[in-house]
Amino acid sequence: MTDQQISTLINVLRFTKQITPLQKDILDTWDELQKKPLDTDSAHKQITSNNFSHPDIFMAISSMPGVVQKNAADLTQDDMIFTLRHQLDGLAAKEMEAHVNGYFG
């Protein structure tokens, strides 16, 4: 998804009265990416939470060319930003698919 599409989705979700767990994951992941400087402990927790809640996205990112699994201690800030951004793209795609299929949580 483009940055503009992600921003639009975030703005819509911020005004949604009741959000689904997927929508919460989208907002939480977005919030992590907005932190300057990156809070590595918080980012790692969000990455782990997303990996647990969305194993399909974890597998898609893990199978990308050039992606190497690392121990938490070996992750750089760039690794975390890369992962969070791709998780956000995957989460947003799932949300858009739900709307296309008629679910408006």
Side-chain angles (χ1 to χ4, degrees):
M1 297 189 85
T2 67
D3 288 344
Q4 184 177 4
Q5 289 170 317
I6 295 286
S7 293
T8 300
L9 176 60
I10 296 302
N11 289 330
V12 168
L13 293 180
R14 292 222 186 273
F15 292 101
T16 302
K17 292 182 186 200
Q18 291 187 333
I19 61 171
T20 66
L22 172 60
Q23 293 167 342
K24 181 177 183 334
D25 291 341
I26 291 168
L27 291 171
D28 290 346
T29 302
W30 171 261
D31 289 342
E32 286 303 322
L33 284 165
Q34 301 314 300
K35 293 179 182 176
K36 305 290 186 239
L38 183 72
D39 179 341
T40 55
D41 290 335
S42 182
H44 183 260
K45 287 177 185 172
Q46 187 62 44
I47 289 167
T48 302
S49 175
N50 288 341
N51 287 346
F52 180 75
S53 299
H54 307 280
D56 54 328
I57 295 172
F58 169 76
M59 293 303 297
I61 294 170
S62 297
S63 64
M64 292 174 71
V67 171
V68 177
Q69 294 300 313
K70 298 180 181 179
N71 293 323
D74 296 329
L75 290 173
T76 66
Q77 285 191 10
D78 287 342
D79 293 331
M80 290 184 189
I81 292 168
F82 174 89
T83 301
L84 286 167
R85 181 56 207 219
H86 284 285
Q87 286 180 335
L88 181 60
D89 287 345
L91 295 167
K94 286 173 91 169
E95 178 67 12
M96 298 312 293
E97 182 179 335
H99 286 278
V100 167
N101 291 328
Y103 173 72
F104 296 97

